Amino acid sequence: MSTKKKIIIGSIAVVVLIAAIIISISATRKNRVTVQTGKVSQKETLESRVNASGEIRPKNYVELQAEIVGVITHLSVKEGDRVNKGDVLLRIDPLQSEADLRAQQASVEAQTYDASNIQGQIAIAEANKLRDQANLDAARSDLKQAENDMERARAKFKRLQQLHEENLLSKEDYDAAKNDLAIVEAKLTSARSAVRRAEAQVNVSQVTLRQAQQQHHATLSRLSEGKAMLFKTQDLLSKTVLRSPLTGVITKLNVEAGERAVPGTLNNPSATLMIIADLSVIEAEIKVDETDIVHVKVGQLAKVTVDALQDTPLKGVVTEVGSSALQTGTLSSQQQQQSTQQAAKDFKVVVQLTDPPASLRPGLSATAEITTATKHNVLTVPIQALTIREVDVDGKGNYLPPKRGDKSGVVSANSGVKTKKKELQGVFVVSKDGKAVFRPVETGITGQTDIEVKNGLSSSEEIVTGSYKTLRSLKDGDAVKIDNSTKAKTEEKS
């Protein structure tokens, strides 16, 4: 073979080899997944925050309502006025209340006279009882004397009767002695009757006294009732003058002089005459989603942004965290139950502002950013780098990486170990040979764009951060091509 032919054949072989290499490289590149990457970084400070919206309100405020019906005859304030506790705000026509008061005073006075008269009757009944008791004692003494006289008369008659039987006493003397005995017996009978009459009179006096005492007790009860009604009437009359229950500002005035005030009842907004608010302590009442409420605690710092004061963020602190989900007040209980089962739940959180400006007004829309946790010198990764994959784990739940080089990535590297499937949270680390390797991680607090990694990664490791579409389909062991150009990021955002 000539030298020229050898050169031609060698050239052809080189060209074929180069073409094969180019084709191989092209095919390999076609199988690579284009990704964006980032570094595991060490952050000096990472803050976890919860954002929620609500409105500004004063901590102390009163929705003033009337307790009696009447026409407003005088209105002392207007909306925006500052009032002190005890200041007169308005007056309601007192004519009816004053008439009721006079009638009740007359009734109490009459009942007082009745009680005094019955008290006098009780005194008389007690005196009569003492008198009748004295008469009874005298009658019993007379009875005792008559019984003694009877014993002596019987003994004397018995002696004279014996003398008469022995013919030592004349018939005339015997008859006289017998007559004296009959007189003493009659006196004894009369004395016994007198005792019975005196006892009966004492019983009558006791009954009369008890009746008078019971009547007096009933009169005193009616007098107490009358005094209670008098106190109630006086209280109603005092409520024709409404005074401020606290020092503050009239933030809302719903009535004018000449209008009729009606007593406040449940769900009757027209009964509210005015709202008085103490603007010295201002709060932002916000609604926090159920997924974030578990991280919110009393005492946490917050930054409040009011829509009307966009350039003036306000500092605050959480003072109250709701224990139950907020309900929609306009729905029935059944509708509320159905609504809370279907929709996401919100919880009330109150943030007290530390230095509220004078320009704040109740009802202004506000957004609060609550710092729920702060950590220093922590490893972090971009939030979008986190993904979830169903992987193999052992009986204790420990991750079992697949055999490298097995395209399916299903067979465990630990042969003979019983495995089961479990979803784990992790990131894809870019290996030295340009492949995406799934790495389970344990996360901590979440910042605005980054999340803490407690273990599973080390600083400066390169991880896949996007695109979102790529991360959804990326598999463990896939070859990747890194493209962090501005164009790729712009396409990702779009």
Side-chain angles (χ1 to χ4, degrees):
M1 182 179 297
S2 64
T3 304
K4 185 176 180 180
K5 287 183 179 180
K6 291 181 179 180
I7 294 172
I8 293 172
I9 293 172
S11 299
I12 293 172
V14 170
V15 171
V16 171
L17 180 61
I18 293 173
I21 293 173
I22 292 173
I23 293 170
S24 176
I25 293 173
S26 178
T28 303
R29 288 182 177 179
K30 285 182 180 179
N31 292 331
R32 289 181 178 271
V33 180
T34 301
V35 297
Q36 289 88 52
T37 62
K39 296 288 187 179
V40 179
S41 61
Q42 187 90 17
K43 278 209 168 186
E44 293 184 3
T45 303
L46 180 65
E47 292 183 338
S48 178
R49 299 173 183 173
V50 169
N51 292 282
S53 60
E55 65 178 16
I56 297 297
R57 70 164 197 181
K59 181 178 182 180
N60 299 317
Y61 68 96
V62 174
E63 295 182 353
L64 195 67
Q65 297 180 337
E67 296 186 47
I68 61 172
V69 178
V71 176
I72 299 173
T73 58
H74 179 71
L75 187 61
S76 306
V77 295
K78 61 182 181 297
E79 192 167 315
D81 285 354
R82 183 170 185 81
V83 295
N84 295 317
K85 184 176 181 179
D87 287 353
V88 175
L89 303 175
L90 59 84
R91 297 179 186 273
I92 299 174
D93 186 4
L95 181 61
Q96 183 65 45
S97 298
E98 289 175 346
D100 292 341
L101 178 62
R102 288 194 295 270
Q104 196 59 42
Q105 286 174 335
S107 176
V108 169
E109 187 175 358
Q111 290 167 354
T112 302
Y113 289 148
D114 290 343
S116 179
N117 291 335
I118 296 176
Q119 185 67 41
Q121 295 176 11
I122 291 175
I124 293 173
E126 289 176 343
N128 290 338
K129 179 184 176 182
L130 293 175
R131 180 200 63 194
D132 294 338
Q133 185 64 47
N135 291 337
L136 175 60
D137 294 341
R140 286 174 176 170
S141 179
D142 292 342
L143 176 60
K144 187 67 176 178
Q145 182 64 38
E147 288 174 345
N148 292 335
D149 291 344
M150 184 64 186
E151 290 179 1
R152 289 194 297 272
R154 283 177 178 173
K156 180 179 179 182
F157 176 74
K158 188 175 182 180
R159 289 194 302 270
L160 293 177
Q161 186 179 22
Q162 186 176 0
L163 291 175
H164 176 67
E165 290 175 354
E166 293 176 355
N167 294 321
L168 298 176
L169 183 67
S170 64
K171 176 67 172 169
E172 182 179 356
D173 291 337
Y174 174 74
D175 290 339
K178 188 176 181 180
N179 187 48
D180 291 341
L181 179 60
I183 292 172
V184 172
E185 287 178 346
K187 289 182 178 180
L188 178 60
T189 302
S190 176
R192 287 173 176 169
S193 298
V195 168
R196 288 195 291 272
R197 288 195 299 274
E199 288 175 344
Q201 188 60 42
V202 168
N203 290 334
V204 170
S205 299
Q206 289 176 338
V207 171
T208 302
L209 177 59
R210 282 197 299 271
Q211 288 177 341
Q213 289 173 337
Q214 291 173 353
Q215 188 176 2
H216 183 251
H217 180 72
T219 304
L220 290 179
S221 296
R222 287 194 295 272
L223 179 59
S224 297
E225 181 184 4
K227 288 181 177 179
M229 291 299 296
L230 177 60
F231 178 80
K232 178 181 177 181
T233 308
Q234 289 172 335
D235 181 61
L236 291 176
L237 178 60
S238 69
K239 288 174 180 176
T240 60
V241 179
L242 271 69
R243 300 178 181 273
S244 177
L246 75 165
T247 298
V249 176
I250 308 296
T251 58
K252 190 173 185 180
L253 185 61
N254 297 328
V255 293
E256 297 289 344
E259 294 183 2
R260 177 175 291 273
V262 295
T265 56
L266 187 64
N267 296 329
N268 184 12
S270 62
T272 300
L273 305 177
M274 64 184 72
I275 298 178
I276 307 171
D278 178 8
L279 300 181
S280 62
V281 181
I282 302 295
E283 298 175 333
E285 184 176 303
I286 60 175
K287 297 177 181 179
V288 177
D289 187 80
E290 60 181 320
T291 57
D292 295 325
I293 192 64
V294 293
H295 304 298
V296 180
K297 302 290 187 294
V298 172
Q300 291 174 343
L301 299 179
K303 183 176 70 174
V304 177
T305 303
V306 181
D307 291 353
L309 305 172
Q310 285 288 348
D311 298 331
T312 312
L314 308 174
K315 294 180 179 180
V317 60
V318 176
T319 57
E320 181 182 342
V321 179
S323 300
S324 57
L326 296 172
Q327 302 289 346
T328 305
T330 57
L331 300 178
S332 66
S333 59
Q334 184 177 1
Q335 289 173 329
Q336 287 178 3
Q337 185 176 3
Q338 294 174 351
S339 176
T340 53
Q341 289 175 351
Q342 297 172 0
K345 301 177 181 65
D346 291 329
F347 289 77
K348 183 182 80 170
V349 173
V350 176
V351 176
Q352 183 173 313
L353 304 182
T354 55
D355 189 18
S359 56
L360 276 185
R361 293 290 182 270
L364 291 177
S365 298
T367 302
E369 187 180 76
I370 304 170
T371 302
T372 57
T374 302
K375 286 191 176 181
H376 301 283
N377 297 321
V378 293
L379 280 180
T380 64
V381 297
I383 295 176
Q384 70 268 21
L386 282 177
T387 186
I388 294 177
R389 290 292 185 271
E390 187 179 55
V391 297
D392 288 329
V393 295
D394 60 16
K396 296 181 180 180
N398 298 319
Y399 172 61
L400 298 176
K403 281 184 179 180
R404 299 306 166 197
D406 185 357
K407 293 183 179 180
S408 66
V410 173
V411 179
S412 172
N414 300 336
S415 58
V417 178
K418 291 185 177 180
T419 65
K420 60 181 179 179
K421 295 293 185 179
K422 183 179 180 181
E423 287 189 342
L424 292 181
Q425 177 181 251
V427 298
F428 281 98
V429 179
V430 180
S431 65
K432 293 181 179 180
D433 58 355
K435 293 185 178 181
V437 179
F438 182 75
R439 183 89 59 81
V441 295
E442 181 183 354
T443 58
I445 67 172
T446 304
Q448 297 297 303
T449 58
D450 300 304
I451 188 168
E452 176 193 5
V453 176
K454 293 184 176 179
N455 57 54
L457 294 173
S458 58
S459 181
S460 299
E461 282 192 284
E462 190 170 21
I463 59 174
V464 178
T465 61
S467 67
Y468 174 73
K469 183 179 180 181
T470 301
L471 274 171
R472 288 182 60 184
S473 58
L474 190 64
K475 296 182 177 60
D476 193 342
D478 282 352
V480 296
K481 181 178 67 174
I482 300 172
D483 184 359
N484 292 328
S485 64
T486 304
K487 181 179 178 180
K489 292 182 180 178
T490 303
E491 290 176 352
E492 168 65 14
K493 290 180 181 180
S494 63

